[in-house]
Amino acid sequence: SLYLITSALLFDDIIFDCSDFDIEAFVGLGIIITSTLAYAWFTIRGTSTIEKFLIEKLSFSEEDSEELLSALHRFLFLILIYIYWLIGTTYLSLSGLIPHLKNWIIIDSELIHISAYNLLTALYLFFTFYYGINVVKKLLKLLFPKEKREYEGASLEAVIYNLGILIDVIFSLYKLGLTWKVLLPMAGALGIGLGFGLQTILNNYVSGFILMFSRNIKVGDFVELTGTAGKFVNINTDYIFGKIEDIGILTTRIKTMDGIDILVPNSVFLENQIVNYSFRNPLVRIRIPFGVAYSSGIDKVKNILLEIAN
């Protein structure tokens, strides 16, 4: 890659007659090489070192560590791309590419004016903020003590993620040129068709925020709701019982005691009766009917039951 960049810089005609190969070009190439080597070190050695530190020193779960490092890896890659672009326009005299990208019009109308530059900028910002949000939510989870990460930390993680995605989408649309002045007329024109199509999606999205802020349902709760799950493994019941593992943008993930993951639309928790076994107090009494022979000794039955319970 560095060979191709250097070769391109030697010939002005290759990059729109806008490169000037001088001492600043060598400085730019030096910065590119340094940042590339730093990113390569993180990919090869740094990832394993950080993962070992998170698991052994901070008692972070393997799943959370993998998600954090995966998001951090992609976030740093996008930062590296920005460094390449910044060095190219500052030291390698590639700023002449910007007018070419701005003049490359993709959509041009009275309401919308989108160029290749706007599109690339919006896409870059969206993915940069997206992976940045995933890094931040995991780092905030680390601030909680080990015994509170699974519940309080996961709840805060869900709030940060959902709010971050909303802000990310709005900001990316703004950079693309789709402001409220443009979106409102479009929404009015397409409102009837999109209204019916997006009604369920918007309902579940808003319901997710209500669930997170109302705290009636939170990560770690054991809930019971009507439904069927697990017929393939011969579980024939008309209700679902399990632990809430995650409250997402549109669905809530419940893991049953049989290890089955169920994705329940968020609106279900607002429209139907939900039994929350750990809403205020996680201690509940479980009734297990059984029978013994009439000739059994009461004290012996009592001692056996206490032994089983212990």
Side-chain angles (χ1 to χ4, degrees), residues 75 78-79 123-133 168:
F75 178 75
L78 291 171
I79 296 299
L123 288 175
Y124 176 82
L125 290 176
F126 173 81
F127 286 106
T128 301
F129 279 107
Y130 174 78
Y131 291 117
I133 292 167
D168 188 15

Side-chain angles (χ1 to χ4, degrees), residues 110-112 178-191 194:
E110 296 181 358
L111 294 177
I112 305 175
L178 298 178
T179 61
W180 291 112
K181 294 181 179 180
V182 177
L183 293 177
L184 287 179
M186 292 175 59
L190 302 176
L194 293 178

Side-chain angles (χ1 to χ4, degrees), residues 236-256:
N236 297 316
T237 59
D238 55 356
Y239 64 90
I240 298 172
F241 174 78
K243 179 182 177 183
I244 294 182
E245 297 287 340
D246 177 63
I247 301 177
I249 297 179
L250 300 176
T251 60
T252 295
R253 180 165 61 92
I254 299 177
K255 182 179 288 294
T256 68

Side-chain angles (χ1 to χ4, degrees), residues 76-300:
L76 292 179
F77 175 76
L78 291 171
I79 296 299
L80 183 65
I81 295 298
Y82 178 73
I83 293 176
Y84 286 167
W85 174 257
L86 188 63
I87 296 303
T89 55
T90 304
Y91 292 96
L92 306 181
S93 302
L94 298 180
S95 57
L97 289 173
I98 297 178
H100 288 279
L101 294 175
K102 289 184 177 180
N103 293 330
W104 187 0
I105 306 301
I106 298 177
I107 299 177
D108 189 10
S109 64
E110 296 181 358
L111 294 177
I112 305 175
H113 181 80
I114 300 177
S115 64
Y117 181 79
N118 291 345
L119 180 60
L120 292 175
T121 302
L123 288 175
Y124 176 82
L125 290 176
F126 173 81
F127 286 106
T128 301
F129 279 107
Y130 174 78
Y131 291 117
I133 292 167
N134 283 274
V135 172
V136 170
K137 72 176 186 179
K138 291 298 181 183
L139 293 178
L140 291 177
K141 193 175 182 179
L142 274 173
L143 299 178
F144 288 85
K146 179 182 177 181
E147 60 276 5
K148 294 185 178 181
R149 286 177 189 164
E150 185 177 2
Y151 303 134
E152 287 85 350
S155 298
L156 178 62
E157 182 182 358
V159 173
I160 294 297
Y161 178 75
N162 285 277
L163 287 177
I165 291 297
L166 178 62
I167 296 174
D168 188 15
V169 170
I170 293 176
F171 186 67
S172 298
L173 291 177
Y174 174 77
K175 295 299 294 184
L176 191 60
L178 298 178
T179 61
W180 291 112
K181 294 181 179 180
V182 177
L183 293 177
L184 287 179
M186 292 175 59
L190 302 176
I192 298 177
L194 293 178
F196 290 104
L198 300 178
Q199 181 179 5
T200 303
I201 296 177
L202 293 177
N203 185 19
N204 289 320
Y205 184 75
V206 175
S207 299
F209 279 101
I210 296 176
L211 289 177
M212 286 183 288
F213 288 107
S214 66
R215 305 289 294 174
N216 291 332
I217 299 292
K218 57 185 182 297
V219 176
D221 284 347
F222 285 90
V223 297
E224 178 183 294
L225 61 156
T226 57
T228 59
K231 289 186 177 181
F232 180 76
V233 291
N234 296 321
I235 301 176
N236 297 316
T237 59
D238 55 356
Y239 64 90
I240 298 172
F241 174 78
K243 179 182 177 183
I244 294 182
E245 297 287 340
D246 177 63
I247 301 177
I249 297 179
L250 300 176
T251 60
T252 295
R253 180 165 61 92
I254 299 177
K255 182 179 288 294
T256 68
M257 308 311 292
D258 298 286
I260 302 173
D261 285 322
I262 304 173
L263 301 179
V264 181
N266 291 331
S267 59
V268 172
F269 292 94
L270 300 180
E271 298 172 354
N272 300 282
Q273 173 180 300
I274 306 297
V275 179
N276 190 342
Y277 286 93
S278 52
F279 179 65
R280 295 293 184 186
N281 187 355
L283 301 178
V284 297
R285 180 172 64 184
I286 300 177
R287 300 177 181 271
I288 305 177
F290 67 97
V292 298
Y294 287 107
S295 59
S296 302
I298 296 179
D299 293 334
K300 184 176 181 180

